[in-house]
Amino acid sequence: MKNKKSILAAAWLLVIPVLSIRAFTTLYPIAATIRNSFFDIKLLQGKNEFCGIKNYIFAFRDPKVLTSIEFTVIFVAASMILHIMMGVILALILNIKFKGQRFLRTIILIPWAMPAVVIGMAAKWGFNNDYGLINDLIRRFINPDFNYSWLIYKNSARFAVIVMDLWKDLPFFAILVLSGLQFISHDIYEAARVDGASGIQCFTKITLPLIAKNVATLTIPFTLWRLTSFDLVYSMTSGGPGEDTALIAYRITMEAFTNLNTGYAAALAVLLFIVMLIFTSLNMRLQTKMAD
């Protein structure tokens, strides 16, 4: 018994320094952000005054923030719907046995491995009207007189950001769905075909139900990544035209490091943190139900 206690004490002595560092680098910034959110901190003006919930009230009246929230909701919803639909289709294609299957599974992850800033810069050039790849292909194969500046109009700029986000992360999502498909036995499909089931029936009655848990588990973390997305918009559109492609994470960064309005940025960060806590709790509940 004494030996077990001494081993446990030694284990805690080894773990406590790591836990202390982790607590300092995680809990302290959170506490400091919550504290700053109740202060009017403007570094350029040397201002640091307690303002209560003024920052939170102004957040829901600020046109720039409301526009950011609007696009964030559109971005997250559209991106996740397309990720789920196209990710399942791509996973099914990758699950088909053919020559070069392993090679395709490897190279398809290249966009995901690339930094979002690099993709954003490439997309900024690719959607350019004069020398961009997109318009060049349209002029070659569809309409030789086509002229359109994608990133200077609200709807097309938002569309371009969503497309590039999908292009980057869809392969990774599909590979994770593919891992779920690998656990489905071919015997189930053979038995279904013997009973006269068509390919569509096999997909709807066997494949979809068996990968539903896998897809649902992936949806929430991918949603959280979309909520905190910053670098793609920063390098591709800089939030433009106007503020129409500014995601909420981008707006927080601009308020904190460009406008140096630290207190207001902290309030926005706390609101985003609350939203992420809600999604995290949903994820934990979902995984608990799936485990049962």
Side-chain angles (χ1 to χ4, degrees):
M1 190 67 180
K2 289 183 178 181
N3 190 31
K4 287 184 178 180
K5 287 183 177 180
S6 62
I7 292 174
L8 184 61
W12 274 109
L13 285 173
L14 294 173
V15 170
I16 284 175
V18 178
L19 292 177
S20 301
I21 294 172
R22 186 61 178 171
F24 179 76
T25 57
T26 304
L27 299 179
Y28 173 73
I30 293 174
T33 301
I34 294 173
R35 182 261 180 197
N36 290 340
S37 70
F38 295 102
F39 284 77
D40 184 11
I41 305 174
K42 293 183 173 66
L43 299 180
L44 289 177
Q45 301 175 15
K47 193 175 182 180
N48 190 346
E49 300 174 355
F50 180 77
C51 64
I53 60 172
K54 180 182 175 182
N55 288 327
Y56 292 97
I57 295 173
F58 183 68
F60 293 100
R61 297 177 179 175
D62 188 352
K64 292 182 178 180
V65 172
L66 294 178
T67 302
S68 296
I69 293 174
E70 176 196 351
F71 180 53
T72 301
V73 172
I74 295 171
F75 175 75
V76 172
S79 180
M80 288 314 305
I81 290 171
L82 292 172
H83 267 84
I84 293 170
M85 293 174 58
M86 298 179 66
V88 171
I89 294 172
L90 183 56
L92 291 170
I93 294 172
L94 294 174
N95 198 39
I96 299 172
K97 292 184 179 180
F98 58 91
K99 192 174 182 180
Q101 181 192 56
R102 292 184 179 179
F103 177 72
L104 179 61
R105 289 181 182 178
T106 302
I107 64 170
I108 203 172
L109 282 173
I110 291 177
W112 171 74
M114 294 174 63
V117 172
V118 174
I119 292 175
M121 292 297 294
K124 190 174 183 178
W125 285 71
F127 282 98
N128 185 275
N129 179 51
D130 298 321
Y131 43 77
L133 175 64
I134 306 300
N135 284 6
D136 181 63
L137 292 174
I138 293 174
R139 289 173 189 138
R140 287 175 184 270
F141 299 106
I142 300 176
N143 182 3
D145 298 321
F146 182 81
N147 282 285
Y148 190 76
S149 298
W150 294 84
L151 301 183
I152 68 172
Y153 299 104
K154 174 182 175 180
N155 292 331
S156 57
R158 288 182 169 184
F159 170 78
V161 171
I162 293 171
V163 166
M164 294 313 300
D165 174 74
L166 187 68
W167 182 79
K168 173 175 169 50
D169 280 347
L170 178 63
F172 184 53
F173 188 91
I175 290 295
L176 294 177
V177 175
L178 176 63
S179 66
L181 289 173
Q182 299 293 305
F183 287 97
I184 303 177
S185 173
H186 290 285
D187 295 338
I188 301 176
Y189 293 106
E190 290 177 5
R193 291 190 184 98
V194 169
D195 291 336
S198 64
I200 296 176
Q201 288 175 324
C202 287
F203 175 70
T204 57
K205 301 296 183 180
I206 299 174
T207 306
L208 276 183
L210 291 178
I211 66 171
K213 290 183 178 180
N214 189 24
V215 173
T217 303
L218 292 173
T219 299
I220 293 181
F222 269 78
T223 299
L224 293 176
W225 294 343
R226 306 276 89 70
L227 285 172
T228 57
S229 180
F230 158 79
D231 38 10
L232 181 63
V233 167
Y234 178 78
S235 57
M236 184 175 173
T237 64
S238 298
E243 302 291 332
D244 290 322
T245 60
L247 295 168
I248 191 64
Y250 176 85
R251 172 51 42 206
I252 293 170
T253 305
M254 291 298 102
E255 290 293 341
F257 299 105
T258 301
N259 300 337
L260 298 179
N261 193 356
T262 310
Y264 185 45
L268 295 177
V270 170
L271 292 174
L272 179 59
F273 180 67
I274 292 171
V275 173
M276 295 184 67
L277 278 180
I278 293 171
F279 275 99
T280 302
S281 63
L282 289 174
N283 188 30
M284 293 175 67
R285 288 186 180 183
L286 182 64
Q287 292 197 15
T288 302
K289 287 183 178 180
M290 289 181 176
D292 296 338

